Amino acid sequence: MKWRSLDELSPETDVRPLRDIFAERKELIVKYVPAETQAVHARAVAELKKQNLAANIFPVGSKLPEFQLQDHDGKTITSSDLLDKARLVLCFIRGRWCPFCVAQMEAMNLILPEIEQAGATLVAISPQTVQQSFFMRDQHKLRFPLLSDAGNKVARQFGLTYGVADEQRAIYQRAFVNLPFVNGDDGWELPIPATYIVDRDGTVIYASADEDYTERPEPEDILLALGATLRG
């Protein structure tokens, strides 16, 4: 299971704003995905928005919960180790099967030098297994750690988790998105996408989340929050 990256489809790196890349993918979905399937996903997002999940996420000013997770190589990474080195940009994503997660991670990969120059480390967390994280990093040429949050334990602390609705679960199964295999458990639980910036003392200084998985912050907004600028 693999979403082909834009880099694989074109010899040039796509440097468009993330919103433009997402708009293109949404157009493809409208064109090729049956209307009834689109309606199921729309209802799922509407229900999550009704629950106000994004309004109740871990807020700015809070202290980062300590965590210990395995990266794409199976190496144990702790939050304290990360913060000992630099500020932390933390992206919660759904997994390598999600085209919007892939696009976001490729876009963040492009600004990695600016993130590091601003004194920060970029890390992504998803419920997928270590093996799936390894595949994602390798296939999309990502240069930052992908951490596996088994059972969404860390995502749950951030208030991001939800159970996939039955009708949406059926859609995923028909599309060969086998979450029990990808995530290594039978929970059918995912995080809503979220991006945090955490200061060296563990204080959250930026938080962005949306129940709609097709909406993510622009990489340039993350650089602005870090006090950095994008090199032309």
Side-chain angles (χ1 to χ4, degrees), residues 19-223:
R19 60 181 170 272
D20 292 346
I21 298 172
F22 276 15
E24 181 179 81
R25 297 196 170 186
K26 290 177 186 179
E27 288 174 4
L28 292 172
I29 288 171
V30 169
K31 185 176 181 179
Y32 293 110
V33 176
E36 58 270 23
T37 298
Q38 295 180 50
V40 168
H41 292 312
R43 285 195 295 271
V45 169
E47 179 58 32
L48 292 177
K49 285 188 174 293
K50 188 177 178 181
Q51 297 174 28
N52 287 321
L53 284 184
N56 296 300
I57 65 168
F58 214 64
V60 170
S62 300
K63 289 291 186 179
L64 178 75
E66 292 189 6
F67 61 78
Q68 178 176 297
L69 300 173
Q70 287 186 305
D71 72 2
H72 51 275
D73 288 326
K75 177 183 177 183
T76 298
I77 304 293
T78 69
S79 54
S80 58
D81 287 342
L82 292 168
L83 292 174
D84 278 346
K85 300 173 183 176
R87 291 183 292 173
L88 181 61
V89 178
L90 190 60
C91 296
F92 285 89
I93 63 172
R94 306 193 309 160
R96 65 187 287 256
W97 53 271
C98 171
F100 297 94
C101 293
V102 169
Q104 182 192 22
M105 293 299 93
E106 290 184 334
M108 294 299 289
N109 201 45
L110 289 177
I111 66 164
L112 184 59
E114 285 77 16
I115 289 174
E116 292 175 343
Q117 282 191 350
T121 298
L122 173 62
V123 169
I125 293 179
S126 78
Q128 66 191 5
T129 64
V130 169
Q131 184 180 46
Q132 296 295 320
S133 292
F134 176 86
F135 289 155
M136 184 178 189
R137 191 174 188 270
D138 180 62
Q139 291 167 346
H140 300 290
K141 303 177 178 66
L142 304 178
R143 296 168 293 159
F144 54 88
L146 303 183
L147 306 185
S148 294
D149 181 19
N152 284 292
K153 294 182 178 65
V154 176
R156 190 171 296 106
Q157 288 182 281
F158 280 78
L160 302 173
T161 56
Y162 68 94
V164 177
D166 288 344
E167 64 172 354
Q168 192 175 37
R169 182 185 304 189
I171 294 292
Y172 285 155
Q173 288 173 322
R174 288 201 295 271
F176 303 105
V177 178
N178 185 353
L179 288 187
F181 174 77
V182 173
N183 294 347
D185 63 52
D186 296 324
W188 281 93
E189 186 180 67
L190 291 172
I192 62 171
T195 303
Y196 288 88
I197 298 176
V198 185
D199 216 344
R200 293 284 301 275
D201 66 356
T203 302
V204 174
I205 59 177
Y206 173 93
S208 174
D210 200 307
E211 298 92 349
D212 185 346
Y213 55 86
T214 71
E215 299 292 335
R216 317 279 173 111
E218 288 289 329
E220 192 166 0
D221 292 338
I222 304 304
L223 292 181

